[in-house]
């Protein structure tokens, strides 16, 4: 072989090396220069573990500093999914779950196998997460776990902060509840600075929902670098959790307790009533609402809605069946806050606003069809003059129960609740050209009807104020009959109990319509420093001179205090001298069902401090059901004898000594028996 | 070389010790520097991945041992360069015989099994891997055999040469250590090429080799982890086998280094110990992660320099024997470097081959340095 040949062959080796180096450098360039970012991210996720420490949620207080919603620790059993999936075959998994269910139950917390299986199958948890499978487990289980750890690989316990409700279900609709984030909710809050994780809880309704951003704390976290077996290598970053802020409500838990109790009692009484005619729909009284406001600022003191629910049910989550039960219309939707979401025809309680509209637009007045004190003959039937049936819908409108009140002026018309008088007003406003045809609608809007009041709670209803212009715009006919029934708060007109109460509050305080206030302030839970204070918010200033307000007020005062007042008997024995109550009954017709019973009241006059509105579905006359219930709320307020409500813990403490005294009595009985 | 005056040159020629033809005038300093640089990088990288995480109390065990190996290797290198290489031809058969004996004995009860391969002898705290050293014996033996013939090779000669390589190759395969066996194959191929094999002979050998490999992969001769490695390489999505995990973690480490690296001792993959066998076969991932593209390319640059110098020594060699020795060492280092770096980059399958001079391990370091000593030897004596 020639030296040239050797050279050639060595060159071939050089070429081979060149190719090898070319390949290596090209690949190196690709990995380290072109796709380095991607690998850096992978290296991060490979080695960086973030451990979250949840922050305690802010508490909710009433106006007197009583804690309505607090946190407590719950011992949760967790199963590490990775261990569960990798260390067991199917039989092994089944056996472990059975062991777990048995031992957790034996330790004092009943748990079923399928509950654990459901929890383990929850798609919100990743393959490396620890999945909570049972909560509120007793400490006994922790001891079992410590003693027999080898039987429960991957099983651990965790203390979780959960909501607790010292006053039980009181104010459930206002407070709302928290539960695990749904998939859609997670998408919404994924970028929230308060870092939600998939298995976090979020306020779903009530204050818990509307003040979610305040109540939720900022979770702390430890960013750890871990090695190939998951042991920490070093702490990269540590941030302590920041507790959520406390929310102080305007609510008075004592008044709330009273309102809920009397609403429930009122509905119970309603169901006891007999119908006049067996063919009339029965008094089912399935639901209702009561609202108590301070008219000076529209602070919500109580807001009851029935049927109600238990927010503590949501703490440990519940079965799909229970959820379906809560949603079932046949169960009258207990999660629904009727006080602000229920829309009802206000019936005769609306006459205040019709009266205001009539006076304000001049229908009642020196140049109107009637003056304040002009007597109008109530014959029991209002016959529409020069009536054309199809234009007006009907030519005759009767009083409820076919009552005949004879001569009535404005004040007496309110006191006795003469529909005929108000039919006349409605007809006049609709047809007399010299008056504002939409005077009633305008007055209703001034007093807050047909719009959300802006209370800091989710799900508020808008209500409906029908008008000729709106009907025209929608291409529907408007007939004089619509105006006539509007005048007595019937027809399409719809208002939430809160709207009605707020309208009365504006009248009571002399014409200022406030946005109902539910939250007074937000406080830092540690320092007590006020983070945010909520001032009164004026929505509207209603023109309400004494010349208009006084006659209407007199009419309303007569309702409770005069013999022919519709709520006279409901308020018999009420301390009228010290505490004058103005009120108005309402009996709203609902097609095919028993009437809704309403009562709206405020007192003491002349400087009212409370407005109370009650609405009870399918319950009959306002005078016979709603008015007595409102009276039972007003009387303790008037006499300053609202009973202090006890927390569940207080009640538990009380029951102990009572049992002791009972046994003592037994002893006395026994001895006395022996003596005999 | 610096320009010197004719007088100076003459006076030097008169003095045998300063004769321009004297061997020590032709010591390849660049080769030594490149080797030293690689060894230093290796010691540094090994320390980074083995020192532990407690800054108060770093573990220096591997650092000290690898430094010791480097120094010992340097001494062996000096020795390998000292004795005129032509003398080696006389001992080629003896060296080869001892090596084969060692490879047989290691398979028996005297050998020690580590990671599923019976490749080591244990002497107290030290282990000796005969297959590392025998590569050199094979190089010398084949070089000695082929250098006897100046003309092109006949088929029987080719077969004899293949046999010299094949026997130890098969013994290594029995350990089983496929990676090292492949080094033997490549060394044999390069030596035959430089030795003057004909094109049609190359094709014949290639056909036979391919058949053997296919039969091996499909038989039960390979351990499961070895076929897994190959399968994972062919299709990385075949599930999370250990080999796939290793290859992915290695690439993540290198990719994580980026252009400039995370800095010495700061590599998160390295710190977390996510790359298995990182101080030995996967040492390049430490360099890639902590020194980035700059460091990795520099390391490759040192190899390029080293290989270039070896190739030059082969070209300058006085005789065929010298040229073949250099080519064999070239093949050994090139193949190991390409495989040990390539597998961390995901372009070659995973095998248990150390990165020459850089990976932790005494046998490999010393054997490589002896090989380099031989190359120095050939170059130094090109005029004598």
């Amino acid at each position: 072989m020639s030296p040239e040949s050797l050279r050639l062959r060595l060159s071939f080796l050089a070429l081979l090396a060149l190719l090898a180096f070319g390949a290596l450098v090209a690949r190196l360039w690709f990995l380290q220069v072109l796709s380095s970012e991607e690998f850096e991210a992978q290296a991060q996720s490979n080695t960086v573990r973030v451990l979250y420490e949840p922050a305690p949620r802010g508490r909710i207080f009433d106006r007197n500093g009583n804690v309505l919603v607090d946190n407590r620790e719950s011992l949760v059993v967790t199963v590490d999914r990775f261990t569960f999936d990798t260390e067991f075959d199917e039989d092994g998994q089944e056996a472990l779950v059975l062991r777990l269910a048995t031992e957790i139950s034996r330790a004092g917390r009943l748990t079923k196998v399928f509950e654990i299986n459901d929890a383990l199958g929850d798609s919100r948890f990743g393959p490396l997460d620890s999945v909570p499978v049972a909560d509120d487990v007793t400490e006994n289980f922790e001891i079992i776990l410590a003693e027999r750890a080898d039987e429960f690989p991957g099983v651990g316990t965790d203390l979780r902060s959960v909501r607790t409700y010292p006053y039980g279900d009181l104010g459930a609709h206002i407070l709302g509840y928290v539960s695990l984030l749904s998939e859609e909710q997670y998408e919404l809050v994924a970028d929230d600075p308060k870092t939600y994780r998939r298995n976090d809880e979020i306020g779903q309704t009530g204050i818990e929902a509307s003040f979610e951003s305040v109540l939720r704390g900022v979770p702390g976290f430890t960013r750890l670098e871990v090695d190939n077996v998951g042991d920490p290598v070093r702490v990269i970053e540590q941030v302590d959790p920041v507790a959520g802020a406390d929310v102080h409500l305007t609510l008075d838990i004592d008044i709330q307790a009273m309102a809920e109790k009397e609403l429930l009692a009122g509905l119970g009484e309603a169901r006891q009533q007999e119908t006049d005619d067996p063919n009339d729909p029965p008094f089912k009284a399935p639901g209702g609402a009561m609202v108590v406001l301070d008219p000076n600022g529209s602070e919500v003191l109580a807001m009851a809605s029935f049927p109600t629910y238990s927010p503590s049910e949501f703490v440990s989550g519940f079965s799909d069946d229970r959820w379906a039960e809560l949603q079932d219309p046949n169960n009258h939707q207990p999660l629904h806050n009727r006080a602000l979401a229920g829309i009802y025809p206000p019936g005769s309680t609306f006459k205040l606003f019709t009266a205001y509209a009539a006076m304000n637009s001049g229908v009642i007045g020196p140049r109107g069809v009637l003056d304040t004190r002009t007597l109008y003959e109530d014959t029991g039937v209002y016959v529409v003059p020069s009536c054309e049936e199809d234009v007006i819908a009907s030519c005759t409108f009767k009083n409820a129960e076919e009552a005949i009140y004879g001569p009535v002026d404005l004040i007496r018309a309110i006191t006795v609740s003469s529909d005929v008088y108000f039919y006349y007003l409605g007809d006049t406003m609709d047809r007399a050209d010299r008056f504002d045809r939409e005077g009633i609608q305008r007055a209703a809007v001034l007093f807050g009807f047909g719009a959300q009041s802006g209370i800091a709670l989710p799900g508020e209803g808008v209500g409906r104020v029908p008008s000729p212009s709106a009907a025209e715009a929608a291409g529907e006919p408007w007939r004089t009959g619509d105006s006539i029934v509007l005048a007595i708060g019937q027809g399409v007109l719809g208002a939430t109990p809160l709207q009605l109460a707020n309208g009365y509050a504006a009248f009571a305080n002399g014409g200022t319509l406030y946005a109902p206030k539910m939250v007074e302030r937000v406080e830092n839970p540690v320092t007590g420093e006020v983070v945010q204070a909520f001032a009164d918010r004026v929505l509207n200033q209603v023109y309400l001179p004494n010349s208009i307000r006084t006659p209407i007020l007199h009419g309303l005062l007569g309702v409770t205090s005069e013999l022919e007042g519709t709520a006279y008997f409901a308020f018999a024995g009420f301390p009228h001298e010290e505490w004058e109550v103005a009120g108005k009954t309402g009996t709203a017709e609902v097609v095919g069902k028993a009437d809704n019973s309403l009562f709206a009241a405020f007192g003491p006059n002349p400087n009212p401090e409370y407005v109370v509105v009650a609405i009870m579905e399918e319950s009959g006359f306002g005078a016979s059901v709603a008015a007595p219930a409102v009276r039972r709320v007003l009387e303790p307020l008037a006499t300053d004898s609202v009973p202090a409500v006890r927390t569940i813990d207080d009640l538990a403490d009380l029951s102990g000594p009572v049992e002791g005294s009972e046994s003592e009595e037994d002893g006395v009985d026994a001895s006395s028996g022996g003596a005999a | 070389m610096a320009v010197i005056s004719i007088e100076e040159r003459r006076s030097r020629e008169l003095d045998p010790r300063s004769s321009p033809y004297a061997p020590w005038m032709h010591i390849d300093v660049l080769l030594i520097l490149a080797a030293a640089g690689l060894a230093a990088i290796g010691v540094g990288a090994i320390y980074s991945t083995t020192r532990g995480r407690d800054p108060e109390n770093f573990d220096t065990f591997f650092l000290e041992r690898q430094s010791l190996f480097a120094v010992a290797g340097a001494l062996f290198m000096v020795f390998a360069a000292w004795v005129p290489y032509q003398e080696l031809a006389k001992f080629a058969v003896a060296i080869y015989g001892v090596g084969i004996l060692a490879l047989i004995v290691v398979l028996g009860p005297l050998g020690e099994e580590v990671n599923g391969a019976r490749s080591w002898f244990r002497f107290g705290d030290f282990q000796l891997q005969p297959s590392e050293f025998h590569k050199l014996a094979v190089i010398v033996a084949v070089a000695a055999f082929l250098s006897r013939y100046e003309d092109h090779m006949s088929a029987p000669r080719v077969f004899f040469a293949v046999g010299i390589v094949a026997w130890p190759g098969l013994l290594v395969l029995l350990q089983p250590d496929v990676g090292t066996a492949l080094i033997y194959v490549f060394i044999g191929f390069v030596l035959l090429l430089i030795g003057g094999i004909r094109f049609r002979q190359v094709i014949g050998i290639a056909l036979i080799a391919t058949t053997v490999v296919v039969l091996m992969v499909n038989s039960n001769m390979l351990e499961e982890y070895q076929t897994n490695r190959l399968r994972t390489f062919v299709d990385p999505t075949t599930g999370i086998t250990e080999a796939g995990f290793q290859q992915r973690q290695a690439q993540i480490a290198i990719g994580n280094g980026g252009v400039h690296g995370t800095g010495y001792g700061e590599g998160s993959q390295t710190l977390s110990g996510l790359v298995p066998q990182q101080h030995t076969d996967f040492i390049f991932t430490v360099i890639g992660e902590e020194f980035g593209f700059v460091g990795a390319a520099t390391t490759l640059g040192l190899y390029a320099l080293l290989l270039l110098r070896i190739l030059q020594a082969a070209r300058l060699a006085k005789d065929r024997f010298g040229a073949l020795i250099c080519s064999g060492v070239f093949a050994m280092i090139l193949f190991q470097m390409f495989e040990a770096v390539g597998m961390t980059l995901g372009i070659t399958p995973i095998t248990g081959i150390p990165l020459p001079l850089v990976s932790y391990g005494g046998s490999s370091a010393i054997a490589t340095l002896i090989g380099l000593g031989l190359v120095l030897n050939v170059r130094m004596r090109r005029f004598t």
Side-chain angles (χ1 to χ4, degrees):
Chain A
M1 198 175 73
S2 65
E4 286 74 32
S5 174
L6 178 69
R7 269 197 123 98
L8 195 72
R9 284 165 188 250
L10 286 174
S11 305
F12 177 74
L13 276 194
L15 184 70
L16 209 61
L18 203 65
L19 286 175
F21 278 103
L24 294 179
V25 171
R27 180 69 179 171
L28 208 55
W29 180 265
F30 171 77
L31 289 179
Q32 297 195 300
V33 181
L34 298 184
S35 43
S36 164
E37 272 176 37
E38 180 191 321
F39 284 107
E40 270 168 38
Q42 281 194 37
Q44 278 265 320
S45 67
N46 228 341
T47 56
V48 177
R49 292 276 175 280
V50 184
L51 300 177
Y52 284 95
E53 190 183 338
R57 205 170 160 84
R59 293 166 298 171
I60 304 177
F61 293 83
D62 84 342
R63 66 186 300 120
N64 299 318
N66 297 309
V67 186
L68 306 183
V69 182
D70 206 341
N71 302 308
R72 68 178 169 84
E73 307 256 83
S74 164
L75 190 64
V76 179
V77 176
T78 60
V79 173
D80 177 47
R81 236 187 208 175
F82 185 73
T83 313
F84 188 76
D85 289 342
T86 53
E87 286 199 7
F88 295 98
D89 58 6
E90 224 162 89
D91 293 342
Q93 294 182 345
E94 230 170 77
L96 177 69
V97 169
L98 182 64
R99 265 206 303 283
L100 257 182
T102 312
E103 290 305 329
I104 295 172
S105 299
R106 190 177 290 171
R109 157 87 178 162
L110 286 179
T111 305
K112 298 194 178 79
V113 168
F114 79 86
E115 291 172 340
I116 296 180
N117 281 329
D118 285 357
L120 279 170
D122 194 329
S123 60
R124 278 177 298 214
F125 296 94
L128 299 174
D129 285 339
S130 280
V131 185
V133 295
D135 56 8
D136 276 332
V137 168
T138 61
E139 281 172 12
N140 288 346
F141 180 75
E142 234 181 354
I143 297 166
I144 292 172
L145 196 60
E147 284 170 350
R148 297 159 55 186
D150 50 322
E151 285 179 44
F152 298 100
V155 177
T157 55
D158 197 9
L159 271 182
R160 200 162 61 99
S161 171
V162 297
R163 283 310 217 187
T164 177
Y165 303 89
Y167 293 95
D169 305 344
L170 282 184
H173 289 105
I174 301 166
L175 303 173
Y177 62 89
V178 294
S179 69
L180 288 180
L181 282 164
S182 69
E183 204 59 43
E184 300 82 56
Q185 283 171 329
Y186 179 75
E187 298 300 324
L188 288 176
V189 297
D191 299 326
D192 193 282
K194 291 196 167 179
T195 46
Y196 287 84
R197 303 176 68 223
R198 276 184 192 278
N199 49 342
D200 273 353
E201 290 185 319
I202 193 168
Q204 300 286 4
T205 62
I207 291 293
E208 294 274 24
S210 56
F211 277 75
E212 169 68 22
S213 62
V214 167
L215 290 166
R216 182 174 173 83
V218 185
F221 60 86
T222 309
R223 208 182 287 278
L224 282 174
E225 199 163 283
V226 295
D227 65 7
N228 51 347
V229 291
D231 288 337
V233 176
R234 60 178 174 190
V235 175
I236 304 170
E237 195 182 2
Q238 185 174 9
V239 175
D240 288 330
V242 180
D246 292 339
V247 171
H248 289 255
L249 304 182
T250 59
L251 195 78
D252 185 320
I253 195 66
D254 297 337
I255 301 177
Q256 175 73 23
M258 207 162 60
E260 289 193 25
K261 180 175 154 235
E262 297 308 338
L263 175 64
L264 184 64
L267 290 166
E269 287 162 15
R271 277 179 230 122
Q272 306 299 316
Q273 301 173 108
E274 300 279 337
T275 50
D276 292 344
D277 182 332
N279 294 327
D280 284 350
F283 297 112
K284 288 186 185 162
M290 195 184 283
V291 177
V292 183
L293 297 181
D294 176 352
N296 308 300
S298 281
E299 295 191 349
V300 179
L301 301 172
M303 190 155 68
S305 176
F306 184 88
T308 184
Y309 68 97
S310 175
S312 53
E313 249 191 295
F314 291 84
V315 167
S316 17
F318 41 64
S319 65
D320 291 347
D321 290 349
R322 179 70 186 120
W323 179 247
E325 222 172 279
L326 288 171
Q327 298 295 328
D328 189 349
N330 291 326
N331 293 327
H332 310 289
Q333 293 158 315
L335 296 178
H336 184 66
N337 185 358
R338 287 169 159 72
L340 52 77
I343 294 168
Y344 303 92
S348 295
T349 57
F350 190 70
K351 284 176 182 162
L352 184 162
F353 308 103
T354 308
Y356 171 81
M359 295 177 88
N360 194 35
S361 60
V363 175
I364 295 175
R367 277 178 299 240
V369 292
L370 293 168
D371 206 345
T372 314
R373 309 301 313 220
T374 309
L375 291 172
Y376 174 81
E377 186 66 20
D378 177 346
T379 59
V381 181
Y382 179 69
V383 182
V384 181
S386 59
C387 179
E388 292 165 63
E389 191 85 22
D390 55 325
V391 179
I392 290 167
S394 170
C395 286
T396 54
F397 294 87
K398 289 181 187 169
N399 270 339
E401 299 294 297
E402 294 175 1
I404 299 163
Y405 296 112
V408 288
D409 62 2
L410 173 68
I411 296 167
R412 185 158 181 262
I414 292 172
T415 299
V416 302
S417 201
S418 161
D419 288 343
V420 170
Y421 184 89
F422 281 89
Y423 291 147
Y424 177 49
L425 296 181
D427 184 19
T428 309
M429 305 218 19
D430 189 80
R431 293 198 299 169
D433 289 341
R434 56 201 170 109
F435 304 116
D436 181 1
R437 194 182 181 202
E438 296 194 2
I440 298 174
Q441 287 86 344
R442 255 180 267 283
V445 169
L446 280 176
F447 281 97
F449 291 88
Q452 287 186 328
S453 68
I455 191 170
L457 286 171
E460 206 193 347
V462 176
R464 297 178 298 262
V465 179
S467 66
S469 52
E472 261 166 45
E476 288 159 10
W478 180 269
R479 293 178 291 195
T480 301
D482 296 324
S483 290
I484 291 170
V485 296
L486 174 67
I488 61 154
Q490 287 285 161
V492 180
L493 180 69
T496 67
L498 182 66
Q499 279 175 339
L500 188 60
N502 207 31
Y504 268 78
F507 181 85
N509 69 29
T512 308
L513 182 77
Y514 293 97
K517 193 155 98 177
M518 194 74 245
V519 177
E520 215 162 65
R521 62 186 192 279
V522 172
E523 276 186 11
N524 181 311
V526 182
T527 62
E529 173 198 347
V530 176
V531 180
Q532 199 180 359
F534 294 91
D536 293 345
R537 195 151 61 89
V538 177
L539 294 177
N540 210 356
Q541 196 69 49
V542 182
Y543 173 69
L544 190 63
N546 278 337
S547 57
I548 295 179
R549 187 173 182 267
T550 309
I552 296 174
L553 180 61
H554 280 166
L556 295 172
L557 287 170
V559 170
T560 61
S561 59
E562 290 191 17
L563 186 56
E564 58 178 1
T566 49
Y568 176 76
F569 293 105
F571 277 81
F574 192 87
H576 289 292
E577 284 74 33
E578 299 93 71
W579 222 84
E580 274 194 290
V581 180
K584 185 74 200 77
T585 54
T587 307
E589 288 171 20
V590 185
V591 180
K593 289 180 181 170
D595 294 342
N596 287 350
S597 170
L598 293 98
F599 193 70
F602 55 89
N605 286 294
N607 297 307
E609 291 164 15
Y610 299 98
V611 173
V612 182
V613 164
I615 292 183
M616 301 181 189
E617 298 169 11
E618 301 176 50
S619 296
F621 291 114
S624 47
V625 181
V630 170
R631 180 238 162 103
R632 290 195 298 268
V633 170
L634 279 175
E635 195 159 357
L637 290 172
T639 55
D640 207 11
S641 56
V642 178
V645 60
R646 291 204 169 92
T647 64
I648 289 170
D649 287 350
D650 286 348
L651 289 172
D653 289 348
L654 282 176
S655 63
V658 169
E659 275 170 26
S661 64
E662 267 173 15
S663 66
E664 231 175 69
E665 276 170 27
D666 287 352
V668 171
D669 284 353
S671 62
S672 62
Chain B
M1 210 183 274
V3 178
I4 50 170
S5 67
I6 294 171
E7 289 77 24
E8 176 74 16
R9 194 167 164 169
R10 281 209 182 114
S11 73
R12 281 194 190 175
E13 279 172 21
L14 289 175
D15 178 357
R17 289 197 304 181
S18 61
S19 159
Y21 305 112
W24 46 86
M25 293 302 289
H26 302 285
I27 292 172
D28 189 348
V29 181
L30 273 180
L31 184 143
I32 292 170
L33 284 180
L38 287 168
I41 288 174
V43 168
I46 288 163
Y47 184 48
S48 175
T49 176
T50 59
R51 65 183 182 175
R53 297 174 201 133
D54 180 6
E56 308 282 298
N57 192 18
F58 277 139
D59 184 355
T60 56
F61 177 80
F62 288 94
L63 170 75
E64 285 164 15
R65 290 197 32 129
Q66 184 66 8
S67 307
L68 181 68
F69 297 147
V71 171
L75 293 176
F76 277 104
M77 180 173 82
V78 170
F79 178 75
W82 199 277
V83 186
Y85 70 96
Q86 290 91 343
E87 303 291 318
L88 276 176
K90 297 173 193 162
F91 303 104
V93 177
I95 297 170
Y96 182 83
V98 171
I100 288 285
L101 197 65
L103 285 177
I104 291 169
V105 173
V106 83
L107 293 172
L110 288 174
E112 188 165 283
E113 192 174 306
V114 177
N115 291 336
R118 195 170 279 278
S119 313
W120 283 271
F121 288 118
R122 171 173 283 283
F123 301 102
D125 286 341
F126 294 93
Q127 288 167 316
L128 186 118
Q129 194 179 352
S131 59
E132 285 291 332
F133 292 99
H134 197 68
K135 288 183 285 192
L136 296 170
V138 165
I139 292 169
V140 172
V142 176
F145 174 70
L146 292 181
S147 57
R148 289 200 216 148
Y149 313 98
E150 283 294 319
D151 54 343
H152 277 298
M153 285 186 289
S154 61
R157 276 184 217 154
V158 170
F159 275 110
F160 192 80
V162 167
I164 298 175
V165 182
W167 289 116
L170 279 172
L171 287 171
V172 172
L173 207 54
L174 285 174
Q175 291 180 353
D177 183 352
V178 179
T180 307
L182 285 174
I183 304 175
Y184 281 81
V185 171
F186 187 72
I187 289 172
F189 168 74
V190 168
L191 286 175
L192 285 173
L193 180 83
I194 301 304
I197 194 173
R198 291 179 194 189
F199 185 66
R200 59 169 189 267
Q201 290 167 334
V202 174
I203 294 193
I205 291 173
L207 278 175
I208 294 165
T210 311
T211 317
V212 169
V213 168
V214 169
L215 283 175
M216 256 171 27
V217 172
N218 288 326
S219 74
N220 297 329
M221 246 186 94
L222 291 180
E223 299 286 323
E224 197 185 333
Y225 76 93
Q226 290 169 322
T227 38
N228 271 348
R229 282 169 171 180
L230 284 172
R231 296 225 170 90
T232 303
F233 177 70
V234 175
D235 179 9
T237 59
T238 47
I240 308 172
T241 62
E242 201 197 341
F245 174 81
Q246 204 169 0
Q247 192 135 41
R248 210 182 67 230
Q249 294 301 341
Q251 286 181 60
I252 291 172
I254 288 173
N256 186 37
V259 177
H260 301 289
T262 59
Y264 185 68
E266 296 291 326
S268 64
Q269 292 281 105
T270 300
L271 262 176
S272 304
L274 280 160
V275 186
Q277 301 295 332
Q278 201 179 18
H279 65 300
T280 58
D281 303 343
F282 280 77
I283 191 70
F284 193 70
T285 59
V286 181
I287 300 166
E289 180 171 35
E290 301 195 340
F291 302 108
F293 182 77
V294 174
T298 303
T299 307
L300 291 183
L302 285 175
Y303 276 112
L305 177 63
L306 189 72
L307 289 168
L308 191 72
R309 298 307 289 183
I310 297 173
L311 204 62
Q312 200 182 29
R315 199 163 52 82
L316 296 175
K318 192 172 72 177
D319 50 23
R320 294 283 299 275
F321 185 48
L324 282 165
I325 287 176
C326 293
S327 305
V329 174
F330 177 90
M332 176 178 95
I333 294 178
L334 174 65
F335 184 84
Q336 286 189 227
M337 186 276 306
F338 182 68
E339 167 56 23
V341 172
M343 73 180 179
T344 66
L345 301 179
I347 56 174
T348 57
I350 293 179
T351 52
I353 290 181
L355 185 58
L357 300 173
V358 177
S359 280
Y360 173 79
S363 299
S364 166
I366 293 170
T368 309
L369 285 167
I370 292 174
L372 292 176
L374 295 177
V375 173
L376 286 175
N377 197 336
V378 170
R379 189 188 172 100
M380 280 160 68
R381 296 193 164 76
R382 67 184 198 253
F383 299 118
T384 55

